Each structure stands twice: as structure tokens, then as C-alpha cells.
Amino acid sequence: MSDPMNFDYSPEQQALADSVARFVEREYDWDKRTAAIRSNEGVDPGHWATFAELGWLGAGLPEEAGGFGGGPVENAVIAQELGKGLVTEPFAAHVAISQLLAACETPAALDLIERLVMGEARLALALGEAEGRGDYTVVRTTYEAVADGFRIVGRKSLVEGASLAGHLIVSATGPEGPAIFLVDASREGVALNPYRLLDSHRVCDVDLDLVVAAEAMLARGDAASAALALAVDHGLLALGAEALGVMHSALWDTRDYLKTRTQFGTTLSSFQALQHRMADMLIEVEMTRSLLFHALCAVERSPGERSAAVSALKVQVAEGGLFVASQAIQLHGGIGVTEELPISHYYRRLFVIARLFGGTDMHVNRFAEATDRCDRD
């Protein structure tokens, strides 16, 4: 009989989780978060430097890739704790960017990783387009070779952190297949159109019409496709872990409210019907946790197994996350939809996460296709 799997954190992972939890408690209480999301940037400019100083930006990269020897579990640990506090810094996007650069394995990419981990460089991931509705493989942005390098023309949407980034990582398609480019965000020919999402995260639509040097191409062809697939799956893992943190907070904040709110001379937590609803919420949280563990175990397997596990997690996050958040609002009553309590903000964040990098229908199809591919292999 094989030994049972151990899902407990290692001492190092527990210390990492504790450090993030302390940051959220000290630097991201409700008043400070409110001030941050009402600012022009939507974040506190000093927090990203703190992330770098504490080693979180390199915690999920192996040492040979320029990180501190961790992997997707460390990224999930960080993302889950950030999710509990509704932290608005684009950590999941950072995970995808760092994995993409590590997969490219070019000198330029490795140099960027070092500066990224140290907090000296800010990058934004410009993959999505309106036509794709979250599917990063739908690319209408084009590139063509010219005398001075490559001309890139297109429009990217929902680029998180673009207004604070020095460079953009842009996907495009051309005669030699898909390609990945590093684009200076301050260049003429790059126009940022910033706006705020429902959850107060700041994103930009990016219009591109410029010529970049030949060395700006990080990868192309099959190498680019593989790097993008790996990066997006790692980003979705971090996003799923963040969603689990949000669901966790929504569940236990609701439990605490029901234990203190009284009606007919007794606390709401004593009503059996409400206990059943809380039990249903707990089931969705634990199902999400189980699928996150499954995806973390599958991430080092074949691309098909990885994609299937990640899509299963994304579907559960979309369906279960919104169930938990909507029940939390219902159980709080009218106060649950106000700005003053975190409850409505949990719902908003989970609503946005459900649609980032594709919604339920897309990931159900992706799961089926990946599973069929694994069966054939």
C-alpha cells in the first residue's frame, strides 16, 4: 500500500504563508485597501518593492531560472494569502510573466527575470484580445519583418498593470507562426487606454503600431506556443489559489456574522436552514482546494494533463466561487452589498476571476479536448 499524500505545508512554505499573512494584516487593512483602490493607480506604489524585498517575486522560480528555488506551490501559497486580503497587486500576472520568460531561455529573457525578481523591472502581459473573449490563442495582432526589425500592429485588451509597467510582453502572429515580443511601453506607437474593472483592479487596452528591433522577439513558432501555454497555465494556477483565498475569507466572515447577529432572541447561526447554506459554501471551498491540489500535482506532467487539471480548477473557481460569494451576500442581507464591508468586494473579485483567461464554457471545452488528447497518447 502506498503512503498517503501529505498536503501540509513544509516549514519553509508555512513561513512564507505567515509572512504574506502578516503583510496583509499590517499593510492591507480595510482602510488602507480602500485608499489604494481609490487612487489613480489602484495600488500602493510601495507594495511591489516590499514583494521583491521579501522574496515573493522569485519564490516560485527554480534557481537555474533566476529564482529562489521554489515552484508553483510557493506561488499558490502567496496568491492564496493575498486573496484572503483582496490585495490588488497583479501577482498572478507576474507568475505568468516569470514562467514565460523562464521558458524562453534567451539571454534577454534571463536578464529580465533577474531584474523582475529584484523589483527593478515591471512588466505587463499583453495576450488577450476582444475577439478571443479570454482565449489567449485567438490572436489578431500581427508582425512582419522589416529592415529595422519587426513591425507590430494590433490591439490588446485587459492588460493588468500596464500603466505601471516599463515593458509589455506581446503575443502576435505572422508568416513564421506565433511570436512573443518585448515592447517598451513608453515607445511612440504604443497607446494605453486605462480603466477600472468591477473589482477595482486597473487594466489597459493597448493599441500597437510600431517597429521593434529584431532582438525584441523572445520566441516564435512552436517554442512561443509552448511558452505561452505554460505561462498561462501557471498564471491560472495562481489565480485559482487567489480565488480560494477570497472564498475562504467570504466563508468565515459570513460564519462570524451569523454568530453575532441576533433575530427572535437568538443568533442567526442557530437556524438550521442557514447552517445548511453554510455547509454548502464550505463544500464549494473544499472542492476548490482539492482541485487546486490536483492541478499543482499535474503541473509537472504532460501539457495535456496540466491543461486538463488547470481548466477543471478554473471551472470550479468560476462556479463555486460565485456560489460562495452570492450566498455570503444573501446571508448578510442588505449590508452585504455596501462598500463598507468586504462581502461585496469578494463577489466582485470572484466575478472578474471567473472571466479572466476564459469563462466556464471555454474551459469545459478545453478540459474535454485535453482529456481526449491524454487518452490518445
Side-chain angles (χ1 to χ4, degrees):
M1 181 180 295
S2 60
D3 294 332
M5 296 188 72
N6 181 11
F7 293 110
D8 293 331
Y9 288 160
S10 69
E12 294 79 9
Q13 291 165 349
Q14 186 61 57
L16 180 61
D18 292 343
S19 72
V20 184
R22 285 194 298 271
F23 165 82
V24 172
E25 181 180 2
R26 291 197 303 255
E27 304 295 335
Y28 224 84
D29 62 34
W30 196 243
D31 290 337
K32 291 179 180 178
R33 181 185 185 274
T34 300
I37 65 175
R38 290 178 178 174
S39 66
N40 290 333
E41 297 82 9
V43 296
D44 185 317
H47 284 166
W48 201 253
T50 302
F51 283 21
E53 181 181 348
L54 294 174
W56 302 346
L57 301 184
L61 279 175
E63 292 181 2
E64 58 269 22
F68 301 136
V73 174
E74 282 69 24
N75 285 331
V77 167
I78 296 169
Q80 183 177 343
E81 294 300 325
L82 294 177
K84 290 178 182 178
L86 288 173
V87 175
T88 56
E89 274 72 11
F91 181 75
H94 164 81
V95 169
I97 291 167
S98 59
Q99 291 293 333
L100 189 150
L101 292 175
C104 288
E105 296 183 342
T106 63
L110 295 177
D111 176 64
L112 272 174
I113 289 176
E114 182 178 352
R115 296 196 292 129
L116 194 69
V117 167
M118 298 304 294
E120 298 170 356
R122 293 291 297 267
L123 305 179
L125 194 62
L127 302 184
E129 300 186 11
E131 295 87 344
R133 300 181 66 84
D135 186 350
Y136 75 94
T137 64
V138 177
V139 180
R140 301 290 183 264
T141 299
T142 61
Y143 72 92
E144 61 177 349
V146 296
D148 298 329
F150 298 96
R151 186 185 182 201
I152 304 173
V153 179
R155 181 180 177 87
K156 295 295 184 178
S157 63
L158 291 171
V159 183
E160 189 171 11
S163 58
L164 297 174
H167 289 81
L168 309 174
I169 294 180
V170 176
S171 61
T173 186
E176 299 180 65
I180 306 168
F181 293 91
L182 182 69
V183 175
D184 187 337
S186 63
R187 281 277 308 277
E188 184 178 352
V190 179
L192 305 181
N193 306 291
Y195 53 97
R196 185 174 72 170
L197 296 179
L198 179 67
D199 59 357
S200 296
H201 284 234
R202 301 302 198 275
V203 298
C204 291
D205 288 343
V206 183
D207 291 307
L208 300 158
D209 188 350
L210 75 162
V211 174
V212 298
E215 54 267 26
M217 180 184 281
L218 298 176
R220 65 183 170 191
D222 291 343
S225 296
L228 287 168
L230 179 68
V232 169
D233 281 349
H234 275 270
L236 283 169
L237 270 173
L239 205 60
E242 180 190 347
L244 176 60
V246 179
M247 293 166 67
H248 177 278
S249 290
L251 173 68
W252 299 116
D253 281 7
T254 303
R255 187 277 310 267
D256 293 343
Y257 177 77
L258 295 181
K259 289 176 69 175
T260 57
R261 183 79 163 85
T262 60
Q263 194 172 49
F264 305 117
T266 186
T267 60
L268 293 180
S269 61
S270 65
F271 296 158
Q272 190 176 57
L274 302 189
Q275 293 173 5
H276 289 170
R277 292 172 75 173
M278 286 293 298
D280 290 339
M281 293 167 66
L282 176 61
I283 289 170
E284 295 296 336
V285 171
E286 293 307 317
M287 285 176 62
T288 304
R289 193 186 316 277
S290 295
L291 283 170
L292 175 62
F293 289 162
H294 172 62
L296 289 170
C297 291
V299 73
E300 301 297 338
R301 299 176 191 163
S302 70
E305 291 180 276
R306 183 189 71 220
S307 295
V310 169
S311 284
L313 171 63
K314 185 63 164 61
V315 171
Q316 172 59 26
V317 162
E319 299 293 321
L322 288 179
F323 174 83
V324 169
S326 62
Q327 289 297 309
I329 289 176
Q330 288 287 324
L331 292 172
H332 274 78
I335 197 174
V337 298
T338 63
E339 288 282 333
E340 287 73 18
L341 282 187
I343 298 302
S344 67
H345 297 263
Y346 296 143
Y347 183 91
R348 295 176 192 182
R349 182 55 182 157
L350 288 166
F351 183 92
V352 171
I353 288 176
R355 286 151 179 80
L356 289 176
F357 287 105
T360 299
D361 289 345
M362 185 194 116
H363 280 280
V364 167
N365 290 334
R366 185 173 181 253
F367 173 84
E369 291 169 0
T371 302
D372 287 344
R373 189 164 63 250
C374 290
D375 290 342
R376 289 194 300 269
D377 295 343

